[in-house]
Amino acid sequence: MYEHLNLNAWPFQVVPDPQFATVWAGRPETKQELERLLWKMQFAPKSSLHLLWANFGMGKTHTLLHLRHLCQHTEGALVPVYAVMAKRARGFLEVYRAIASELPYRFLGDQLVKVGNSYSGSLQLHALFSRSPGVVNAILAIRSGDAERGTIARQWLLGQPGLLARHLRAVDVSYRIKTPEDGISALSVLTGLATFGSDPPAKLVIMLDEYQRIGELKPRAMNEINASLHTYYNEHPKGLELILSFAFGREENVAYLLSDELKSRAEPQGIRLDVLSKAEAMDFLRDLLEQFRIRDDGRWAYPFSPEALEVLVDYIATRKRLTPRRLMLYANHVLQESQACSDSETTGPMTKEEVLQHVADPRLGQIDTDEPGMTP
Amino acid sequence: MNDLWSGEPEDEEPALPVPGMGYRKVYVRIDGVSIRLYDHPPCVDYDESDCSQCDFFTPQTCRLRRDPTLVQDIRALFRLHRQRLAVYSKLRQKLIRAMHFELRQHGRALHYTVVARMVKDRYPEFQVTAKRILLIMAAHPKEFEKVRQGVYRSRVSPRS
């Protein structure tokens, strides 16, 4: 709480923070797009594939985290899973691990009970688990509360190497997840389980961040991942929303990282986050500060003066591209410096002269350079 | 040069010069000796030269001395090849700029096969193969930074 700043929390976050994901500042069109996407995902039962492209530092991860936050408030209609693409994936198994490690196992355990209640025979024989029956025992082991069995079951589900035969016996599974096909089967079963028997029908929303990393992989790995995602997507005509996010300088390059099959299945309208204009930057800061306001005293820019924020935006815009991250970084620096210099009793807003004084440090932003080729 | 010429030996069958030409080398073989673009007798470059200093042929049996038109042909062949090299070099510079532009625009490291697909689509006039893209990137470390095997990014400093 920063009573003297009229802020209930520190508003400037440079690194995406899940707790900060509830906040949305600026970009009203993107907010509208997200809300529309959320509505579409709940409206039609069919599965869909969405692409999110963002320029550098434009808040792609924050957008996904915000979407996850919105999904979490749909009363179970959308089950969000946020995963980050492995840095040096050698195949689909790494992608599977990234997704499987973020699945809500407590919820899946509850779903398993639901399946058990609706089925009289052994759960492993249920049609839902025919492709990977070991998933049942693994989830039961996690649900059992036994730390050792739970850990082994998690390792098994994530397809991690190093499990011995006695480990498999402890969890009561007879095979390992070690090929892309095993991964697809297990993921299909887990997806089916996550969306089982809900009314209205639930959907699993898998958000795969940093998917542009696929562009650094060897063609064999790239093809395997794209083909496996395509197979997985095809196996779920209903109940699955797949969101792939890309961060690089040119939106058209998305086409070079996806297979034709995935491209043909992607929704025609993707979400894009590009460089902010000065007006958008001002709106962003206004929205951001508003969301942390303790009380409305009519001073929207406080602890800055409106002119000070304009000067700050102008200062950045003349040197670099305006990105949410950069705005936060500079505003954070200026506000912290100002607080360090003044006593806490001062209540006047920061003037533009103060801002210029704090940003005048030549070391400021020296290493924060635009990505190559992304000059305005 | 003619005063040193002793005539063609009667028992020797005159061999036709064999020219060869490619992107990287051009040569003419005369009496089993290869004359190359960057390694040839001085008389190919200059009308006046000291044949006694020649490392390629002995003045007494030198076919270049005997047949000045042969020298003219070799000069023409070399000139043509230099022109081809200049065109090729210009084209290669354009290709490097195109590759560089694509990587800079992308702003992240990419596998050479992806760069090749981009360049093929966007600059069909170069008719590049993935292997050529890789060789060029590997040969220009000042422009392309190798991140790991087969993966490169633009090394150009921002705002340049």
Side-chain angles (χ1 to χ4, degrees):
Chain A
M1 182 78 90
Y2 300 90
E3 186 76 38
H4 65 293
L5 299 176
N6 192 13
L7 296 169
N8 56 28
W10 193 255
F12 306 118
Q13 296 279 339
V14 178
V15 178
D17 180 353
Q19 287 183 333
F20 204 65
T22 53
V23 175
W24 185 267
R27 295 192 192 274
E29 298 85 15
T30 311
K31 190 180 181 193
Q32 217 168 20
E33 275 178 36
L34 286 178
E35 284 164 355
R36 192 173 280 266
L37 173 65
L38 200 73
W39 179 83
K40 279 182 190 172
M41 290 196 290
Q42 293 174 85
F43 179 71
K46 72 161 194 70
S47 296
S48 44
L49 170 66
H50 308 271
L51 306 178
L52 188 155
W53 168 81
N55 218 320
F56 300 96
M58 294 301 155
K60 164 182 60 71
T61 302
H62 179 78
T63 304
L64 288 179
L65 292 175
H66 186 69
L67 185 62
R68 182 175 73 171
H69 162 73
L70 295 176
C71 289
Q72 281 164 344
H73 289 80
T74 55
E75 293 169 353
L78 300 172
V79 182
V81 174
Y82 171 81
V84 183
M85 177 83 173
K87 265 195 174 162
R88 290 186 191 180
R90 278 174 297 170
F92 180 70
L93 215 52
E94 274 91 346
V95 179
Y96 162 76
R97 280 187 193 127
I99 297 171
S101 63
E102 298 297 332
L103 285 170
Y105 286 104
R106 187 185 290 268
F107 168 73
L108 289 174
D110 295 343
Q111 286 289 96
L112 198 59
V113 172
K114 206 192 265 185
V115 179
N117 291 339
S118 67
Y119 188 68
S120 55
S122 168
L123 268 179
Q124 281 96 332
L125 301 177
H126 193 286
L128 190 62
F129 306 109
S130 60
R131 293 196 49 200
S132 192
V135 168
V136 175
N137 285 342
I139 292 178
L140 285 175
I142 293 171
R143 197 179 157 77
S144 70
D146 181 335
E148 193 180 348
R149 287 186 64 225
T151 308
I152 294 171
R154 232 170 232 283
Q155 281 184 323
W156 180 84
L157 267 171
L158 300 188
Q160 285 177 345
L163 285 179
L164 303 174
R166 64 184 166 86
H167 294 136
L168 300 187
R169 278 197 297 278
V171 190
D172 202 13
V173 289
S174 55
Y175 61 97
R176 291 182 178 86
I177 296 171
K178 57 181 180 183
T179 65
E181 287 72 27
D182 296 338
I184 295 169
S185 300
L187 202 53
S188 290
V189 167
L190 291 164
T191 305
L193 182 61
T195 55
F196 177 81
S198 49
D199 186 31
K203 276 186 174 179
L204 186 68
V205 182
I206 294 181
M207 294 175 261
L208 197 49
D209 201 0
E210 310 284 1
Y211 197 71
Q212 79 282 348
R213 285 177 182 164
I214 201 168
E216 296 182 29
L217 307 182
K218 289 178 182 173
R220 191 196 61 78
M222 190 185 198
N223 293 340
E224 183 188 301
I225 292 170
N226 277 331
S228 302
L229 272 184
H230 157 223
T231 309
Y232 168 58
Y233 181 74
N234 271 5
E235 284 177 2
H236 295 278
K238 285 180 183 173
L240 178 65
E241 296 286 341
L242 200 55
I243 302 173
L244 305 178
S245 88
F246 302 84
F248 42 70
R250 196 168 171 184
E251 191 179 0
E252 301 83 53
N253 288 358
V254 169
Y256 293 97
L257 305 182
L258 293 174
S259 64
D260 290 343
E261 290 82 6
L262 283 178
K263 275 188 270 182
S264 66
R265 280 158 180 79
E267 293 291 307
Q269 198 178 13
I271 297 173
R272 62 193 305 277
L273 303 167
D274 213 341
V275 183
L276 296 173
S277 65
K278 279 189 198 177
E280 285 172 331
M282 287 300 286
D283 287 345
F284 174 82
L285 289 171
R286 178 197 295 263
D287 270 13
L288 185 69
L289 290 168
E290 193 182 307
Q291 300 201 31
F292 289 90
R293 206 55 84 198
I294 299 171
R295 60 190 170 277
D296 185 11
D297 61 0
R299 296 184 294 177
W300 69 267
Y302 192 76
F304 301 88
S305 65
E307 300 78 39
L309 280 185
E310 264 178 49
V311 163
L312 182 67
V313 169
D314 275 345
Y315 178 86
I316 303 170
T318 50
R319 286 158 180 82
K320 289 161 184 179
R321 292 177 308 146
L322 283 168
T323 70
R325 185 183 295 156
R326 200 164 273 150
L327 283 170
M328 296 245 204
L329 200 70
Y330 278 73
N332 178 67
H333 169 78
V334 168
L335 189 53
Q336 278 187 337
E337 286 291 317
S338 144
Q339 289 299 299
C341 296
S342 67
D343 56 79
S344 57
E345 300 304 312
T346 313
T347 53
M350 200 186 302
T351 61
K352 58 183 183 185
E353 288 76 22
E354 276 182 273
V355 169
L356 285 173
Q357 180 198 332
H358 295 311
V359 294
D361 186 347
R363 292 166 303 168
L364 181 65
Q366 206 173 29
I367 57 165
D368 169 35
T369 52
D370 283 311
E371 295 286 338
M374 296 300 106
T375 50
Chain B
M1 292 198 295
N2 282 339
D3 54 333
L4 289 170
W5 174 248
S6 63
E8 191 174 302
E10 281 178 5
D11 55 339
E12 195 176 314
E13 192 69 25
L16 281 172
V18 183
M21 202 168 176
Y23 272 126
R24 296 189 184 280
K25 60 179 183 181
V26 59
Y27 64 87
V28 180
R29 284 180 76 83
I30 300 170
D31 298 338
V33 177
S34 284
I35 295 175
R36 298 172 191 281
L37 183 62
Y38 300 110
D39 186 20
H40 50 251
C43 61
V44 173
D45 288 333
Y46 311 105
D47 289 336
E48 298 296 326
S49 60
D50 183 0
C51 290
S52 63
Q53 300 292 315
C54 183
D55 294 333
F56 291 82
F57 303 105
T58 51
Q60 289 77 12
T61 58
C62 180
R63 283 158 57 87
L64 296 178
R65 284 173 58 84
R66 187 186 59 181
D67 185 1
T69 58
L70 191 57
V71 176
Q72 296 305 321
D73 286 349
I74 292 170
R75 284 177 183 172
L77 184 71
F78 285 177
R79 192 166 50 244
L80 188 68
H81 190 65
R82 279 196 194 96
Q83 284 168 1
R84 278 185 68 175
L85 282 181
V87 170
Y88 176 72
S89 167
K90 215 176 256 181
L91 203 68
R92 202 166 67 152
Q93 284 306 317
K94 273 187 186 172
L95 173 60
I96 291 170
R97 275 202 295 274
M99 288 160 58
H100 207 237
F101 177 75
E102 289 303 321
L103 274 173
R104 277 179 62 194
Q105 284 258 303
H106 190 76
R108 285 190 187 273
L110 280 175
H111 196 268
Y112 74 93
T113 51
V114 180
V115 182
R117 287 207 330 261
M118 285 177 182
V119 174
K120 254 187 212 173
D121 279 2
R122 291 173 182 162
Y123 311 89
E125 66 272 21
F126 291 126
Q127 299 181 345
V128 285
T129 60
K131 192 178 173 185
R132 190 167 166 218
I133 292 281
L134 174 65
L135 289 174
I136 288 176
M137 288 200 289
H140 294 83
K142 280 186 185 170
E143 284 89 3
F144 304 104
E145 181 189 351
K146 184 177 178 177
V147 177
R148 56 181 178 276
Q149 192 157 15
V151 181
Y152 290 82
R153 70 168 155 233
S154 163
R155 203 191 271 277
V156 165
S157 61
R159 292 180 171 269
S160 63

